[in-house]
Amino acid sequence: MTPVTTAQFPKTRLRRLRQAPALRRLVEESSLTAAQLVLPVFVKEGLARPEPIPSMPGVVRHSLKSLAVEAARAQALGLGGLLVFGLPRKKDAQGRGADAASGIVQQAVRAVKRAAPTLAVMTDVCLCEYTDHGHCGVLRGRSVANDETLERLAAIAVSHARAGADLVAPSAMMDGQVRALRRALDAAGFAETPIMAYAAKYASAFYDPFREAACSAPAFGDRRGYQMNPANLDEALRETALDIEEGADVVMVKPALAYLDVVRAVKERFHWPTAVYQVSGEYAMLKAAAARGWVDEPRAVQELLTAMRRAGADIIMTYYAVTAAQSLMTSQRGRR
Ligand code: PBG
């Protein structure tokens, strides 16, 4: 890289390329398109009409019917896909609802496929929405038993693939989960179903609104025994290396805003398809400030999503996917 020094002024004036929109666009380094945005959605068994989620204004728990409408809209907007989370009617210690052929996610996948056949349908593979104790795996005593959980996760992934999921995304942070899913999918005839691994998923305060939305808060303790310590970066690279070795097609960093350094490091180190998840608390935080008129919401959203792209993310999971895609369309027409 040629160093820029002040000695080059007045020959060098960086403002030259900033003076008009057309010039600014010409040298824009990061792009944001609808195809890179994935909308996480909640769908609840037995719901007649959508239910608002107080800590996530504008986000609802869908009925199967309203989810189908949302899917059609996502497809029309050219979104990268939906990431489906299910809320079952009944929970138990093993999370048996999670891999039922007629489970809520399995029904949702079929409904989305009918309503939006070309939209990518992704599913979250975890137990926390299905267990009565709210942990991401099956328990032995008061801790989550890793290897027993792997069998459950693998069965869930296969049932999602069977329902028609285009991609499965294990988020339980169990050791060996990607390998377990890959083996089970291959054995069941789904060698072509990709895995997006929540590779570096941190134990974060920013998941709380999600846990309200998904009714998945742990009944005791917390998730620090399986999710990562926010202080660690080297460990995120180890997690990612293992997931890639185990067969991850896409690796994910989560949350987004406080972990963009992790996104950058993962992308630079592995050059692998990299996703980032702007989580519920990040959404809630922005919504709260916007509701008070303290930030300009569309601009703030665009800035944050662009920062994620700049950090190296190829794919962004965001509750703002629809509104961001809509404003990208208008700004393209109106030429910022
Ligand atoms: C399930 C899961 C969680 C999120 C995504 N998958 C919750 C958790 O780990 O407690 C959080 C997403 C969000 O906050 O938007 N394991």
Side-chain angles (χ1 to χ4, degrees):
M1 201 205 265
T2 339
V4 182
T5 67
T6 47
Q8 289 166 313
F9 178 83
K11 186 178 69 149
T12 300
R13 290 178 185 271
L14 296 180
R15 288 185 55 196
R16 283 189 198 111
L17 292 171
R18 288 182 205 144
Q19 59 190 313
L23 290 175
R24 291 197 289 269
R25 276 200 301 275
L26 211 52
V27 294
E28 194 161 273
E29 297 174 37
S30 311
S31 65
L32 185 64
T33 67
Q36 297 152 346
L37 305 176
V38 172
L39 178 70
V41 289
F42 303 100
V43 56
K44 184 171 164 181
E45 199 169 3
L47 210 59
R49 66 183 65 81
E51 234 172 43
I53 301 160
S55 57
M56 301 180 73
V59 179
V60 298
R61 296 187 196 97
H62 281 289
S63 65
L64 284 167
K65 229 182 181 167
S66 70
L67 180 64
V69 175
E70 186 76 323
R73 177 161 77 155
Q75 179 176 276
L77 279 166
L79 289 192
L82 294 188
L83 177 61
V84 181
F85 293 91
L87 283 81
R89 212 184 306 236
K90 279 199 246 102
K91 304 187 186 220
D92 58 42
Q94 270 74 40
R96 284 200 195 86
D99 54 329
S102 59
I104 183 61
V105 167
Q106 292 79 356
Q107 289 186 58
V109 167
R110 290 189 285 262
V112 168
K113 276 285 156 201
R114 273 193 300 273
T118 62
L119 182 70
V121 188
M122 315 177 183
T123 56
D124 186 81
V125 176
C126 193
L127 280 164
C128 62
E129 295 97 344
Y130 299 88
T131 52
D132 49 15
H133 46 75
H135 278 287
C136 299
V138 293
L139 297 182
R140 203 192 298 124
R142 287 174 73 81
S143 77
V144 175
N146 194 86
D147 300 8
E148 287 91 316
T149 300
L150 295 182
E151 287 169 35
R152 297 290 301 122
L153 296 174
I156 299 167
V158 169
S159 78
H160 289 178
R162 232 170 235 141
D166 295 300
L167 175 152
V168 291
S171 67
M173 287 302 279
M174 295 298 121
D175 287 327
Q177 64 182 11
V178 175
R179 177 168 169 267
L181 261 61
R182 187 69 277 153
R183 286 191 167 182
L185 288 166
D186 291 358
F190 296 103
E192 302 296 332
T193 302
I195 297 174
M196 175 166 68
Y198 286 69
K201 178 175 177 180
Y202 288 89
S204 172
F206 294 99
Y207 304 151
D208 283 0
F210 173 97
R211 291 176 190 172
E212 182 195 14
C215 307
S216 64
F220 64 88
D222 54 41
R223 301 208 203 289
R224 278 181 271 209
Y226 39 104
Q227 298 180 350
M228 282 183 56
N229 179 346
N232 295 355
L233 173 62
D234 285 341
E235 190 188 357
L237 299 177
R238 291 200 291 277
E239 279 283 4
T240 308
L242 285 173
D243 281 1
I244 290 174
E245 208 180 295
E246 291 179 22
D249 300 281
V250 180
V251 290
M252 193 203 289
V253 174
K254 178 186 172 188
L257 186 52
Y259 300 89
L260 293 185
D261 58 326
V262 181
V263 175
R264 161 64 36 205
V266 162
K267 189 63 185 179
E268 264 176 13
R269 173 73 67 96
F270 301 103
H271 298 285
W272 213 251
T274 302
V276 70
Y277 196 142
Q278 183 186 47
V279 301
S280 56
E282 300 179 68
Y283 177 84
M285 204 157 61
L286 205 48
K287 277 284 171 194
R292 287 162 183 74
W294 292 347
V295 291
D296 175 337
E297 191 177 16
R299 280 191 57 209
V301 170
Q302 163 115 5
E303 183 174 333
L304 284 166
L305 299 181
T306 303
M308 291 166 205
R309 294 276 300 143
R310 192 193 63 230
D314 302 297
I315 306 166
I316 302 172
M317 318 290 136
T318 172
Y319 300 98
Y320 278 112
V322 166
T323 47
Q326 283 166 338
S327 59
L328 283 170
M329 269 169 80
T330 17
S331 71
Q332 254 156 25
R333 253 184 267 118
R335 286 282 113 211
R336 280 176 274 182

